[in-house]
Amino acid sequence: MAANKFGRYVWLIDLIKNHPRITFKQISEAWADSDMGDGKPLPWRTFMNHKMAIESIFDVIVECDSKAGYGYYIDNEELLQGDNLRTWLIDSYATLNQLQADRRLQGRISFEQIPSGSRYLQIFLQAMRKNRVVELEYRAFGRPHPNTFEIEPYHLKVVQRRWYLIGRSPYYGKVRTYALDRMLSVKVTDKIFEYPEDFDIGCYFEGCVGIMADDDIGVERVVIKAYKWARWYLETLPLHESQHEIARDDESITFELRVRSTFDFLQLLLQQGGQIEVVEPEWVKGRVCELAGEILQRYHLAEKSVGGI
């Protein structure tokens, strides 16, 4: 019953946020047309109860605009736009509701699978809730054997289909990042740590594209020029939230970003192939050329090897 009510709340939020203004009559008709109402209109009292529950559970405020035909809208929509987790939960649950409502859609929507590291999520959530130190058995890439050590878990993050734990290492005395799919075992200890009130995950990853947060690389202005299909691809799917257009002509669009040019970012640039050009800074342009040269050299070596057989 509780899950059913939760689904109703998410359905209502999703409906209202997708309309500039929507009247109660339109809401009631949409309710009757969905699996929520089973052909019956939404009672006014139920709507008001759901409206209050939505504010209490999600901190989402639904208001009525008397000047626009008494249409309802999300008053604090910027909260949804700025909260990735809240938005993801609402969108995912809304999609699940639709799939459950129409069995014909099953098998026609696919999701990327996240590696098995997600099995430790509940353990980390428990440790984070109680500020408990965790003991990890961890095998990093390039290491022949695993190591066992303790971490103070601060934050969980998904990047490129991988779950990561961001936490402070007592051994190194600094915040580090660990991939959950590299963990062989996780144990919550009895040790308590004090979560720093001044730790801000947004500041920690400021300017980052991906999971690398290299302290030695600061946020800087990067200008890229995109050609052919990459013009429209990057226009609709920016490389970073700071990206914005500063020029365009018949052949290209020039974008400016404020990012840290870590290896994650350089890889993302290389993914665009020959469709983009780094304009500035010079060191980023040079590094991309070096990486492209290494790729070319690798293929030359492979061709020589094949030719010598």
Side-chain angles (χ1 to χ4, degrees), residues 68-167:
Y70 292 93
Y72 287 90
Y73 65 99
I74 304 296
D75 182 54
N76 54 344
E77 190 172 359
E78 68 280 356
L79 181 144
L80 291 178
Q81 295 173 349
D83 190 328
N84 293 338
L85 176 59
R86 193 190 310 261
T87 301
W88 176 77
L89 285 172
I90 291 173
D91 289 346
S92 298
Y93 211 105
T95 302
L96 179 60
N97 282 342
Q98 186 60 45
L99 287 173
Q100 290 177 334
D102 193 342
R103 301 293 180 181
R104 291 172 299 177
L105 295 178
Q106 289 192 357
R108 297 178 63 181
I109 297 180
S110 301
F111 296 91
E112 286 189 309
Q113 182 179 358
I114 295 180
S116 58
S118 59
R119 67 181 182 273
Y120 296 126
L121 286 178
Q122 291 299 322
I123 298 176
F124 284 123
L125 290 174
Q126 175 190 354
M128 289 163 61
R129 189 181 302 115
K130 298 181 179 181
N131 285 343
R132 294 284 184 89
V133 174
V134 294
E135 183 182 272
L136 306 182
E137 185 182 6
Y138 191 85
R139 184 168 60 203
F141 287 125
R143 297 288 181 87
H145 305 291
N147 292 320
T148 301
F149 50 86
E150 294 182 342
I151 290 295
E152 299 169 1
Y154 283 6
H155 190 89
L156 288 166
K157 184 179 179 70
V158 176
V159 176
Q160 295 292 325
R161 296 176 53 240
R162 271 198 168 97
W163 278 102
Y164 292 91
L165 171 71
I166 293 88

Side-chain angles (χ1 to χ4, degrees), residues 244-257:
H244 64 278
E245 177 185 328
I246 59 174
R248 74 164 59 203
D249 54 34
D250 293 339
E251 296 182 350
S252 67
I253 299 178
T254 303
F255 299 103
E256 178 185 279
L257 305 91

Side-chain angles (χ1 to χ4, degrees), residues 5-57:
K5 283 187 176 181
F6 188 85
R8 293 180 180 185
Y9 304 151
V10 171
W11 178 90
L12 192 55
I13 293 173
D14 187 62
L15 177 69
I16 296 174
K17 79 180 179 69
N18 287 317
H19 293 80
R21 297 292 186 271
I22 183 170
T23 65
F24 172 69
K25 182 176 183 295
Q26 292 171 321
I27 293 173
S28 182
E29 290 173 350
W31 178 276
D33 192 45
S34 72
D35 67 317
M36 300 293 171
D38 197 23
K40 299 177 182 178
L42 175 64
W44 171 255
R45 184 175 179 179
T46 301
F47 170 67
M48 295 304 293
N49 288 338
H50 285 10
K51 179 174 172 291
M52 289 188 291
I54 286 171
E55 181 174 349
S56 175
I57 297 173

Side-chain angles (χ1 to χ4, degrees), residues 221-233:
R221 179 177 183 263
V222 175
V223 178
I224 61 173
K225 184 176 286 190
Y227 302 90
K228 297 183 179 180
W229 57 263
R231 289 177 289 172
W232 304 292
Y233 184 82

